[in-house]
Amino acid sequence: MKVDVLTEAVIAAPCDRVAAYAADPTHAPEWYANITSADWRTPPPVAVGSKVAFVARFLGRRLAYTYEITAYEPGRRLVMRTDEGPFPMETTYTWEPYGEGSDRTRMTLRNRGEPSGFASLAATVMAAAMRRAQHKDLAALKALLER
């Protein structure tokens, strides 16, 4: 079973500011509740081909994985992918001005993948947990950037 979870938030900050902050992996532990560290494996800044190693806790387990940036349009879209572990995943961020005056941003966060082995049996539970986590993460990002 494939897992595909899309969440969004409207953040009261300009698109370029939201995108620059969210696209920088070093900020991930500040707004992702489950990510404990992010370490560059290639020199910054973010570009197609960049690699970043993350350590996270999800559903009570420690996860260590390396994402590779596969698409990046500054201020518009970032796609990163990992093929490691029992749950290869792709994460996509998009940003677009929202409303009049462009002082707000609509950000989407999408995680999708196809779990294998035992993880495939728990795909429904995993998707629900991911949805809850993503809502919390975007709420944390919103609170951080609206201060």
Side-chain angles (χ1 to χ4, degrees):
M1 172 187 243
K2 291 185 180 183
V3 173
D4 191 345
V5 178
L6 175 69
T7 54
E8 69 177 65
V10 174
I11 300 170
C15 196
D16 59 342
R17 181 170 165 238
V18 174
Y21 187 87
D24 182 344
T26 58
H27 294 296
E30 298 167 15
W31 62 279
Y32 271 99
N34 294 330
I35 293 179
T36 58
S37 68
D39 296 306
W40 288 95
R41 293 297 183 236
T42 57
V46 171
V48 172
S50 294
K51 292 183 180 183
V52 180
F54 291 94
V55 175
R57 294 216 47 91
F58 185 68
L59 295 176
R61 301 188 80 173
R62 181 186 183 275
L63 304 172
Y65 51 92
T66 300
Y67 265 125
E68 180 174 353
I69 308 301
T70 58
Y72 184 48
E73 300 168 50
R76 298 186 45 108
R77 182 172 164 258
L78 173 93
V79 181
M80 50 190 164
R81 184 174 296 141
T82 184
D83 292 329
E84 296 174 2
F87 189 25
M89 188 164 40
E90 177 183 89
T91 298
T92 303
Y93 303 153
T94 65
W95 306 279
E96 62 185 15
Y98 184 83
E100 294 181 35
S102 298
D103 60 342
R104 294 186 297 165
T105 302
R106 178 179 174 262
M107 178 174 169
T108 64
L109 169 55
R110 180 182 192 187
N111 279 303
R112 62 185 180 155
E114 192 159 357
S116 61
F118 177 75
S120 66
L121 300 174
T124 303
V125 172
M126 193 178 286
M130 285 172 63
R131 188 169 287 106
R132 283 190 304 274
Q134 286 179 206
H135 279 290
K136 287 179 185 176
D137 296 336
L138 285 179
L141 179 64
K142 176 180 172 70
L144 218 149
L145 294 176
E146 289 182 353
R147 278 190 217 153

